[in-house]
């Protein structure tokens, strides 16, 4: 058996290597960025573990033996799930390993932005001892935070924001209002309403056809003057030129971003002093990554030894296998 890790940001792949050695599987670790590199590495693999590399239809069609594609993370935007289902390959993820970390990180970005920590720290380092140039600094208690999406991370974020005295509202067309209300959160009927009402907005939706470019010029124009945006979801949900314009015009005072498109030293958003950026680090803690690696490879081991995975995202593929087995 051969299992491939296409790419990973972890300190090592020892957890995976050990788990796979126990079933006699060999592990090959790559640093793929492009689909062609994944094809070269994984063509004859029985299982694929992936972090950010693109698992496109072309990749999936080139896999000759693959039974499982395990995404080492929550988001599935880099895996063509219909293509995998079409080839009978089960796709798994690890849906809840970093809910605490990402909500902590989103809150840290929000607090850092509102309390102007970046500017204050920089001014102290350059020999000044004066907060006044960085006013206004609004009180957080009583402010409205709007959560876009009300899944696992948003709910954890809601509890933390409530602990700080914020009023929490959410827009998620796929979650019943009663569930939102049961968390002490105000359900809103549209993104427009959320943008108009909120002092702070935090994004917690997956990237997909409906959410790509969800925040553009129109959306920023609806936000309150001086609002703050936090994005720990995916870069492509926000149109960065529109965000830059909103910051330049003062519509937004700040943005806290764990994800930006094409990170580079001269990225235009780095020019704004009110912007805090981290390098897709929200998921990370020692504990979270150990749990992530253990659970992701656990599903690979299960599938390669004929057991059912714990976190399939296309379970219909497994139903097909079972039906075939049952039917002889
Ligand atoms: N920065 C990081 O390190 C990091 C780590 C983990 C997850 N993430 C991102 O965070 C996202 C959210 O994670 P989660 O665990 O809360 O996912 P989740 O699946 O529990 O919740 C997502 C919610 O978004 C809602 N939604 C979908 N489309 C929507 C739309 N158009 N408008 C409003 N709501 C919509 C869904 O109904 C769902 O309730 C992931 O998809 C991933 O992209 C980032």
């Amino acid at each position: 058996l051969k299992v491939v890790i296409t790419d990973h940001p972890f300190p090592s792949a020892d957890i995976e290597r050990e788990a796979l050695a126990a079933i006699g599987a060999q592990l090959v670790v790559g640093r793929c960025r492009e689909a062609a590199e994944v094809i070269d590495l994984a063509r004859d693999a029985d299982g694929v573990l992936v972090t950010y590399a693109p698992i496109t239809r072309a990749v999936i069609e080139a896999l000759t033996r693959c039974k499982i594609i395990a995404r080492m993370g929550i988001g599935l935007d880099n895996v063509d799930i219909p293509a995998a289902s079409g080839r009978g390959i089960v796709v798994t993820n690890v849906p809840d390993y970093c809910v605490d970390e990402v909500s902590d990180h989103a809150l840290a970005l929000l607090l850092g932005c509102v309390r102007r920590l970046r500017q204050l720290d920089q001014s102290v380092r350059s020999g000044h001892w004066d907060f006044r140039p960085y006013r206004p600094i609004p009180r957080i208690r009583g402010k409205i935070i709007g959560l876009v999406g009300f899944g696992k991370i948003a709910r954890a974020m809601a509890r933390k924001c409530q602990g700080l005295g914020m009023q929490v509202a959410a827009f998620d067309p796929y979650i019943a209002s009663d569930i939102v209300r049961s968390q002490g959160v105000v359900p809103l009927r549209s993104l427009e309403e959320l943008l108009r009402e909120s002092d702070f907005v935090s994004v917690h939706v997956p990237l997909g056809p409906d959410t790509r470019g969800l925040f553009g010029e129109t959306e920023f124009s609806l936000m309150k003057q001086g609002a703050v945006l936090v994005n720990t979801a995916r870069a492509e949900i926000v149109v960065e030129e529109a965000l830059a314009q909103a910051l330049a015009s003062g519509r937004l005072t700040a943005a806290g971003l764990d994800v930006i498109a094409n990170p580079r030293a001269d990225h235009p958003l780095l020019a704004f002093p009110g912007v805090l950026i981290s390098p897709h680090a929200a998921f990370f803690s020692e504990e979270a990554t150990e749990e992530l690696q253990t659970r992701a490879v656990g599903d690979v081991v299960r599938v390669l030894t004929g057991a059912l995975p714990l976190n399939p995202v296309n379970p219909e593929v497994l139903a097909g296998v079972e039906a075939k087995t049952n039917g002889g």
Side-chain angles (χ1 to χ4, degrees):
L1 292 171
K2 172 180 166 183
V3 174
V4 155
I5 296 182
T6 57
D7 62 308
H8 78 82
F10 313 123
S12 85
D14 291 349
I15 291 175
E16 291 84 348
R17 190 166 287 108
E18 213 172 289
L20 291 165
I23 60 162
Q26 177 211 358
L27 176 68
V28 179
V29 182
R31 291 177 169 216
C32 307
R33 283 168 173 255
E34 308 293 335
E37 296 168 321
V38 180
I39 293 175
D40 278 350
L41 189 76
R43 195 187 304 274
D44 60 346
D46 299 277
V48 171
L49 285 147
V50 57
T51 308
Y52 304 122
I55 309 295
T56 58
R57 181 170 287 277
V59 169
I60 288 165
E61 281 171 1
L63 302 174
T64 56
R65 302 167 48 89
C66 185
K67 292 193 177 59
I68 172 166
I69 297 168
R71 158 85 174 116
M72 296 191 281
I74 294 178
L76 289 150
D77 42 281
N78 59 329
V79 181
D80 188 327
I81 296 168
S85 300
R87 299 254 354 250
I89 300 173
V90 66
V91 179
T92 59
N93 70 345
V94 186
D96 50 6
Y97 74 98
C98 62
V99 171
D100 284 322
E101 282 77 5
V102 181
S103 54
D104 287 347
H105 202 90
L107 185 61
L109 288 171
L110 177 67
L111 296 180
C113 283
V114 178
R115 299 299 310 167
R116 312 266 187 267
L117 290 182
R118 181 174 162 220
Q119 292 108 306
L120 293 171
D121 178 80
Q122 265 173 1
S123 89
V124 170
R125 282 167 202 273
S126 56
H128 303 285
W129 192 255
D130 187 359
F131 63 85
R132 289 172 299 180
Y134 307 102
R135 295 174 54 230
I137 298 179
R139 173 180 281 175
I140 289 172
R141 178 172 296 279
K143 292 290 182 299
I144 299 175
I145 180 158
L147 305 177
V148 184
F150 198 61
K152 292 177 286 297
I153 294 170
R155 289 177 212 197
M157 179 71 170
R159 289 192 293 277
K160 290 169 191 181
C161 292
Q162 286 162 342
L164 294 175
M166 285 179 245
Q167 301 179 57
V168 186
F171 167 64
D172 189 326
Y174 307 106
I175 302 287
S177 301
D178 288 352
I179 294 180
V180 180
R181 269 193 218 97
S182 73
Q183 309 283 311
V185 173
V186 178
L188 298 177
R189 281 183 305 275
S190 67
L191 179 62
E192 181 175 336
E193 197 181 348
L194 179 138
L195 297 173
R196 287 189 196 282
E197 299 285 325
S198 304
D199 301 291
F200 316 135
V201 172
S202 190
V203 184
H204 300 286
V205 290
L207 175 64
D210 297 345
T211 57
R212 186 177 291 275
L214 187 66
F215 279 74
E217 213 175 305
T218 312
E219 286 68 28
F220 287 118
S221 74
L222 295 170
M223 290 176 75
K224 278 188 184 172
Q225 195 67 30
V228 174
L229 177 78
V230 172
N231 183 11
T232 53
R234 286 290 182 270
E236 296 81 356
I237 295 166
V238 173
V239 179
E240 289 183 348
E241 297 73 28
L243 172 58
Q245 257 176 25
L247 287 159
S249 71
R251 168 71 64 179
L252 296 190
T253 48
L257 309 169
D258 187 47
V259 281
I260 54 172
N262 307 315
R264 55 188 193 278
D266 63 345
H267 195 287
L269 287 172
L270 290 171
F272 294 96
V275 171
L276 270 180
I277 301 182
S278 54
H280 201 153
F283 71 94
F284 190 82
S285 72
E286 311 307 330
E287 293 87 343
T289 41
E290 190 179 331
E291 182 182 335
L292 171 63
Q293 291 179 271
T294 306
R295 290 173 61 187
V297 76
D299 266 351
V300 174
V301 167
R302 274 180 209 96
V303 169
L304 296 186
T305 53
L308 290 173
L310 296 183
N311 295 301
V313 295
N314 57 348
E316 66 278 6
V317 170
L318 302 168
V321 170
E322 259 183 0
K324 257 190 251 158
T325 313
N326 292 342

